[in-house]
Amino acid sequence: MTINPALLLILGALPVPLLNGRARAAWMLLLPAAAMVVLWTLPEGVHGGFDVLGLALNPLRVDALARVFATAFLVAAFISVVYALNLRDRVQQTVIPVYAASAVGGALAGDLITLFVFWELAGLSSVFLIWARRTERAYRAGMRYLVAQVASGLLMLGGIVLHVQSGAGLEFGFIGLGDPGGLLILLAVGIKCAFPVLHAWLQDTYPEATVVGTVVLSAFTTKFAIYVLARGFPGTGELVWVGVAMACFPIFYAVIENDLRRVLAYSMINQLGFMVAAIGVGGALGVNGAAAHAFADILFKGLLFMSMGAVLLRTGTAKGSELGGLYKSMPQTMVLCVIGAASISAFPLFSGFATKSIIMEAVSEEHRTVVWLLLLFASAGVFHHAGIKIPFFAFFAHDRGHRVAEAPLNMRLAMGLAAAGSIAIGVAPNLLYGLLPYEMDYSAYTVPHVVNQIQLLLLASMAFTVLMRTGLYPPELPSVNVDADVVYRRFLPRAWRTGVQGTTRVRDQVTKPLQRRADRVLALASRPLKARGWLGTPWPTDVMVLWVALLLGLFLLVSLL
């Protein structure tokens, strides 16, 4: 029998709550490592397929696209486990391998039923990373997160049913928008991928998770959705503009946001936009660019979330208005955070440069000038809010007097692994290019590309400096920014309360007069039955005999007719 790496992780998570201390740490580190070995010993092809009610199920299919995403998920799982070693919370440590297994299993799924099972497992398991914070805000955020995940699952299930009814079968390959089922599946993916308007759950819930939970959440759900898009919807032209919108609009929210973990949540949507646009362009460069950038994003975005998690752990806050000067107390965390910032900003010799350039090249080869310019603007914007704002306001700006200990050793090791991966991809991008699903003759380090990127970064940094020196840059203030979540957090509850109050008023104005009239009619009809009514008084015997005779005669007459 062929072992499924996802099943290995799920079964391996069962004894985690029963282990203690170093035994539990060693076991948790062994799980993703063993799954990685299993993944890379599997030959390409379908393994262990079987039929159910005439439908072909292929729970384990290995090809280049599945392998690169599954590898990224297992790397993220290992780094997350290292980052969580100082936890004493058995719930979080048990959830991590199960949640990782859902993403790995989905990447290796060969049919839509298996995909749906892991799609739902990802949503149901990950919510515990939010609830594990054990606050009222976390509980409410977890409920909203769960609603989004369940809605996505229902759309996915409905789409699969319609897709199969159209005669397409259960194979998880290209889906497209040729039938209503494909549209429902795309909407389901759009929720987890944070399409515009459908995105609000992400920045609403991720910052409410635990220190470790936010790091783990950043690695799996959205990248799982990117994989489904890359497998099922490559070359779907509508995705290009969806991706452009995703890359651009979060910039404005991130600039004015005070919570630095929420800034990173907006930054995540920005980076997902590049991947979605690349998938919409399609072709070898488009799909390769999306896969490569997803791999790199798992590392550098995880690194940034880990650094802010360490800051939150030591200072008790992740708000820019309450931070600053931490380079004195947490210099190692600061250096690692800067590496993550350089990677997401696509500095040469860092991972973002090697992966984002593939996407820009794919767009350029399609001669999509407007799209290319908008993505270039988004690249400058991410340098502003993630490359500069995060390390500047956390570690350098307006010293708030925090004198705290450096991050725990295991957290620094996890951040070091992510930083090393980001630098390795940037310095030797062919290490990642060799894992991509399509062969390509591409080099990121050409003179025009390096010069253009350095010019972009220099101009963006100059703009930030000018805005800061002139006081035009939005200050870090405790505030609440209104986003699409206002619809379900404020507007819908208010509309519900208004509707209930209106219904109550209508009921009072209409039903009460009718009730009074009904009472009068009932009183009039029941008057003969009362003690003094004509039916309630004693009748003489001769009258009773007369009534009996009349009733008998009436009965006989009716029977004769």
Side-chain angles (χ1 to χ4, degrees):
M1 292 182 64
T2 303
I3 300 175
N4 191 322
L7 184 60
L8 178 64
L9 289 173
I10 293 173
L11 295 177
L14 296 178
V16 169
L18 306 178
L19 299 174
N20 293 305
R22 294 182 178 178
R24 182 167 59 179
W27 180 255
M28 291 188 64
L29 290 171
L30 178 64
L31 284 179
M36 183 72 79
V37 172
V38 170
L39 173 66
W40 280 94
T41 55
L42 289 172
E44 291 196 2
V46 175
H47 304 276
F50 56 91
D51 291 342
V52 176
L53 301 177
L55 298 174
L57 300 183
N58 301 311
L60 182 58
R61 176 193 53 197
V62 182
D63 60 15
L65 182 61
R67 203 191 298 269
V68 67
F69 273 91
T71 300
F73 294 142
L74 290 173
V75 169
F78 185 83
I79 294 175
S80 298
V81 167
V82 175
Y83 191 74
L85 287 179
N86 65 315
L87 284 180
R88 299 185 182 276
D89 188 343
R90 298 174 187 269
V91 173
Q92 293 186 73
Q93 290 186 326
T94 304
V95 165
I96 290 173
V98 176
Y99 184 25
S102 66
V104 173
L108 297 175
D111 65 88
L112 294 174
I113 296 297
T114 304
L115 173 68
F116 171 74
V117 171
F118 286 112
W119 190 262
E120 286 295 273
L121 180 61
L124 296 178
S125 60
S126 56
V127 71
F128 291 97
L129 296 171
I130 302 174
W131 285 338
R133 198 170 183 182
R134 296 177 176 86
T135 64
E136 181 65 21
R137 285 176 60 90
Y139 170 75
R140 292 180 179 274
M143 293 301 296
R144 294 191 295 271
Y145 176 87
L146 194 59
V147 168
Q149 303 305 306
V150 171
S152 175
L154 291 175
L155 288 171
M156 174 71 75
L157 181 60
I160 291 172
V161 171
L162 293 177
H163 188 65
V164 173
Q165 285 181 344
S166 69
L170 276 177
E171 182 183 1
F172 180 27
F174 179 79
I175 299 172
L177 299 177
D179 59 80
L183 179 59
L184 287 182
I185 293 174
L186 181 61
L187 287 175
V189 177
I191 292 177
K192 290 199 177 187
C193 199
F195 282 5
V197 181
L198 305 177
H199 70 281
W201 64 270
L202 195 153
Q203 81 278 352
D204 172 31
T205 58
Y206 277 23
E208 302 300 332
T210 63
V211 168
V212 171
T214 303
V215 174
V216 182
L217 287 167
S218 70
F220 299 112
T221 295
T222 53
K223 308 313 179 298
F224 185 5
I226 289 294
Y227 167 76
V228 176
L229 282 180
R231 173 75 70 182
F233 300 92
T236 303
E238 294 82 355
L239 292 178
V240 174
W241 293 106
V242 172
V244 168
M246 293 173 64
C248 291
F249 87 84
I251 294 171
F252 303 98
Y253 279 102
V255 168
I256 62 175
E257 179 58 55
N258 184 37
D259 188 324
L260 297 184
R261 293 208 300 175
R262 190 164 278 110
V263 171
L264 289 175
Y266 279 115
S267 175
M268 179 183 294
I269 300 173
N270 164 272
Q271 295 301 299
L272 292 170
F274 282 89
M275 304 171 209
V276 172
I279 293 169
V281 170
L285 273 181
V287 176
N288 278 357
H293 201 53
F295 196 113
D297 185 76
I298 286 175
L299 292 175
F300 61 64
K301 190 57 61 58
L303 175 54
L304 289 169
F305 270 115
M306 284 188 282
S307 62
M308 290 303 100
V311 168
L312 176 61
L313 177 68
R314 290 308 193 202
T315 66
T317 183
K319 298 185 183 298
S321 59
E322 301 173 9
L323 293 174
L326 284 175
Y327 74 93
K328 300 174 183 177
S329 301
M330 307 177 72
Q332 296 177 34
T333 302
M334 179 271 294
V335 171
L336 293 167
C337 179
V338 169
I339 293 174
S343 299
I344 195 173
S345 303
F347 270 86
L349 303 180
F350 293 90
S351 58
F353 179 82
T355 58
K356 193 179 293 182
S357 61
I358 305 176
I359 297 174
M360 300 300 289
E361 183 69 19
V363 173
S364 176
E365 286 193 358
E366 292 292 318
H367 305 291
R368 294 176 176 263
T369 305
V370 176
V371 174
W372 189 87
L373 290 173
L374 289 172
L375 292 180
L376 189 67
F377 164 76
S379 298
V382 75
F383 178 48
H384 258 272
H385 68 254
I388 299 178
K389 178 174 180 173
I390 293 293
F392 178 75
F393 285 104
F395 296 100
F396 301 104
H398 39 64
D399 191 345
R400 299 297 183 182
H402 293 289
R403 297 298 176 262
V404 296
E406 182 57 273
L409 177 60
N410 65 293
M411 289 187 172
R412 282 176 282 158
L413 288 175
M415 288 187 279
L417 290 173
S422 297
I423 294 173
I425 293 173
V427 173
N430 287 330
L431 294 174
L432 178 58
Y433 292 173
L435 302 179
L436 299 179
Y438 300 105
E439 293 185 4
M440 61 179 185
D441 183 15
Y442 175 76
S443 174
Y445 288 97
T446 62
V447 173
H449 184 213
V450 172
V451 171
N452 289 340
Q453 186 65 14
I454 291 176
Q455 287 177 337
L456 176 69
L457 296 172
L458 287 176
L459 290 173
S461 60
M462 288 175 59
F464 179 84
T465 303
V466 171
L467 291 173
M468 287 296 297
R469 297 291 294 179
T470 58
L472 296 177
Y473 193 87
E476 299 300 296
L477 299 173
S479 60
V480 176
N481 296 324
V482 178
D483 203 340
D485 59 343
V486 73
V487 174
Y488 61 80
R489 297 186 66 177
R490 296 292 179 84
F491 176 74
L492 291 181
R494 186 173 299 173
W496 173 261
R497 288 193 297 269
T498 302
V500 170
Q501 293 171 357
T503 303
T504 303
R505 284 196 298 269
V506 170
R507 182 195 64 188
D508 293 342
Q509 294 174 1
V510 175
T511 61
K512 286 187 177 180
L514 292 176
Q515 182 67 38
R516 287 195 295 269
R517 290 172 184 164
D519 291 342
R520 292 196 201 100
V521 172
L522 182 61
L524 183 62
S526 63
R527 187 179 299 171
L529 299 175
K530 293 182 179 179
R532 296 182 179 182
W534 65 276
L535 290 177
T537 57
W539 288 9
T541 303
D542 56 341
V543 175
M544 291 297 298
V545 171
L546 179 61
W547 276 108
V548 169
L550 289 174
L551 290 174
L552 286 175
L554 181 62
F555 177 77
L556 290 173
L557 180 62
V558 172
S559 64
L560 289 174
L561 294 176

